[in-house]
Amino acid sequence: MHTRPADSLADSPLAQEARDLLRNCVHCGFCLPACPTYRITGSELDSPRGRIYLIKEMLEHGGANATARTHLDRCLTCRACETACPSGMQYGRLADLGREFIERDPSSSRQPGTRFVRLVLAKVATRRELFTALVRIGQALRPCLPAALKALVPAKARDRTQTRDVLAWPTARHARRMAVLEGCVQPGLAPQINAAAARVLDHLGISLVAARDVGCCGAMEHHVGRTGAALDQVRRNVTASERLLEGGCEAIVSTASGCGTFAKDYGHLLRHAHHSIAGTAARISAATRDLCEVIDPAALEDAVAAISKARGVSLEPVRVAWQAPCSLQHGQRSSTTGKVEALLRAAGCELVATRNPTLCCGSAGTYSILQPALARELRTRKLASLLGDRPAAIATANIGCLEHLRQASAVPVRHWIEIVDSILFA
Ligand code: SF4
Ligand code: SF4
């Protein structure tokens, strides 16, 4: 797609990069059926191709407009369109540039209420200690909350099981060590996930240590167009992660696929920075792994077989519906495709059939708060497809999807490592 940015953007690196990305789109429309918002509204403007045209128009006119803002706000950045595109279009990167362009243009300013909500999300949800404290207050008040509010606050992890301490971490004792990202909202909402990962990896001969000095990955601020703040956070994380690698950790592991996808992009995000930090960022990206990439299915299968033998019983297969987060199946697809499914099967789970596995659940970072109607509709459709074959649980790999689905699911929604952990150690 040929684009000629307005003369006023002649010196804009953002406009040049967007123009280069736009070249890959050949307007074929193969991406349309893959787009969750297009499937709901049926409007070309809510499709990848429509949004690409809106970004092209903004560049050619040299300014943002409310129509482009509305339809880019409705985009989940799920990147299903990238998986469907035969032409290698990097839509996610283009959408981020489009959003940054809109945020920089005062003429496309949002309503004060919307601006306030976006600011609160960027300032509160990205701060681990503050967010965790707010969740703990919500959990203390949970018994008295009305049902609608109660659904938003997860029960305390320790209250969900009386048989063992799901928050217990093993002591680091192995020569092989990896660091795990804590992120911003996961320690408050589901601290048992990283503890489960630490126990499973410990059993397989790897010590997991919490990367306490690495903060929010920066994705939340980046996706609401606060690019400067996001890059400052990325730089801090790169420096803190470098210390972990120098201290002997062989990988930076993420148990939230949304955060891992963004961390794998640090090298690209800082490619124009000073060469020393740009090089370090590229090394951090290369060392970042989703949890499913660091566990060998054969080793897990052996561990489950050994435990089954020691207990003298064969373990009952758990019937699980696998919900592949978009960040895993579209964002990290080349390195993670099929890996969680293989691990769940190795642990003895039976994966039930699901329909439309590539469609987004509607969580998408802050999307479920900023676009609640579309998010709810997508969740209803996703749950119908996941629950059709009556699983005992839904497994996912991202805290956002987990929380969003949990609030309306008839069966427990858990990170897949929690399911593996409960098979090994229950
Ligand atoms: S499938 Fe790719 S090339 Fe075709 S319209 Fe969509 S983004 Fe453009
Ligand atoms: S990222 Fe997802 S919601 Fe956005 S245009 Fe692509 S397929 Fe549609």
Side-chain angles (χ1 to χ4, degrees):
M1 184 180 285
H2 176 72
T3 311
R4 189 177 179 280
D7 292 344
S8 59
L9 298 174
D11 298 327
S12 161
L14 185 156
Q16 307 312 318
E17 188 180 352
R19 180 202 59 198
D20 293 346
L21 289 168
L22 281 161
R23 284 203 180 105
N24 278 335
C25 180
V26 295
H27 339 164
C28 64
F30 283 10
C31 51
L32 268 65
C35 176
T37 54
Y38 177 73
R39 286 171 72 134
I40 289 179
T41 71
S43 162
E44 172 84 15
L45 293 180
D46 287 323
S47 78
R49 187 173 60 186
R51 291 176 177 125
I52 288 167
Y53 271 111
L54 289 170
I55 294 169
K56 173 182 156 71
E57 272 173 28
M58 285 198 296
L59 292 179
E60 292 182 338
H61 290 134
N65 61 69
T67 305
R69 190 191 63 209
T70 298
H71 295 285
L72 271 177
D73 280 356
R74 284 189 198 159
C75 168
L76 297 133
T77 326
C78 67
R79 296 169 60 184
C81 46
E82 290 189 19
T83 302
C85 177
S87 184
M89 181 68 196
Q90 292 180 289
Y91 172 85
R93 288 200 171 138
L94 181 68
D96 282 341
L97 293 173
R99 290 186 176 115
E100 188 179 346
F101 190 71
I102 287 168
E103 293 307 314
R104 281 186 194 179
D105 187 338
S107 68
S108 71
S109 179
R110 298 167 197 281
Q111 297 290 324
T114 312
R115 283 211 306 271
F116 178 72
V117 172
R118 291 168 72 92
L119 187 66
V120 168
L121 285 172
K123 294 285 179 195
V124 175
T126 56
R127 295 183 185 187
R128 184 188 303 152
E129 286 77 16
L130 175 59
F131 186 82
T132 299
L134 292 174
V135 173
R136 296 291 168 263
I137 292 169
Q139 287 173 329
L141 299 175
R142 200 169 182 269
C144 328
L145 294 176
L149 269 180
K150 197 173 184 172
L152 297 177
V153 183
K156 279 187 187 168
R158 279 200 172 105
D159 293 347
R160 292 180 217 160
T161 171
Q162 273 81 47
T163 52
R164 65 196 178 107
D165 184 359
V166 291
L167 299 185
W169 278 60
T171 314
R173 61 197 167 99
H174 301 291
R176 290 189 70 193
R177 292 169 72 229
M178 297 182 185
V180 65
L181 297 174
E182 296 212 292
C184 47
V185 300
Q186 188 166 298
L189 295 171
Q192 73 279 7
I193 293 175
N194 279 1
R199 288 189 293 269
V200 173
L201 284 181
D202 178 68
H203 195 77
L204 299 173
I206 300 169
S207 287
L208 201 60
V209 294
R212 299 230 188 271
D213 292 341
V214 182
C216 169
C217 67
M220 211 177 292
E221 297 211 273
H222 191 70
H223 292 320
V224 294
R226 293 171 52 86
T227 309
L231 292 183
D232 286 345
Q233 183 61 36
V234 169
R235 281 188 201 92
R236 285 194 289 274
N237 286 351
V238 163
T239 305
S241 300
E242 186 184 25
R243 287 197 295 272
L244 289 164
L245 295 185
E246 284 173 352
C249 290
E250 63 184 82
I252 309 288
V253 177
S254 175
T255 56
S257 58
C259 311
T261 304
F262 197 67
K264 285 184 176 187
D265 222 20
Y266 281 178
H268 174 80
L269 290 164
L270 293 187
R271 68 199 181 286
H272 297 313
H274 185 272
H275 65 86
S276 59
I277 183 98
T280 310
R283 273 202 305 285
I284 301 306
S285 287
T288 301
R289 301 274 182 278
D290 187 84
L291 181 63
C292 70
E293 295 178 82
V294 300
I295 302 180
D296 175 11
L300 181 60
E301 195 167 356
D302 288 348
V304 172
I307 282 177
S308 176
K309 193 173 168 197
R311 288 182 196 156
V313 286
S314 8
L315 305 177
E316 273 298 302
V318 186
R319 298 188 81 243
V320 172
W322 164 234
Q323 183 263 342
C326 299
S327 42
L328 205 62
Q329 64 170 323
H330 305 304
Q332 301 184 44
R333 67 179 180 272
S334 57
S335 52
T336 58
T337 300
K339 292 212 165 140
V340 178
E341 296 94 312
L343 288 166
L344 285 169
R345 287 196 184 96
C349 295
E350 177 191 342
L351 297 193
V352 305
T354 60
R355 287 177 285 117
N356 297 322
T358 59
L359 279 188
C360 180
C361 69
S363 166
T366 55
Y367 193 89
S368 58
I369 298 164
L370 297 171
Q371 300 285 337
L374 281 169
R376 275 197 300 270
E377 175 61 26
L378 285 166
R379 179 171 64 190
T380 301
R381 294 182 183 201
K382 190 75 190 184
L383 283 173
S385 75
L386 288 168
L387 298 177
D389 203 13
R390 289 186 287 175
I394 294 172
T396 184
N398 191 48
I399 183 65
C401 312
L402 190 157
E403 272 305 305
H404 184 57
L405 291 170
R406 178 194 63 74
Q407 290 163 21
S409 173
V411 302
V413 185
R414 307 174 77 191
H415 193 288
W416 63 267
I417 198 68
E418 291 183 82
I419 295 174
V420 171
D421 174 65
S422 62
I423 291 169
L424 285 175
F425 304 116

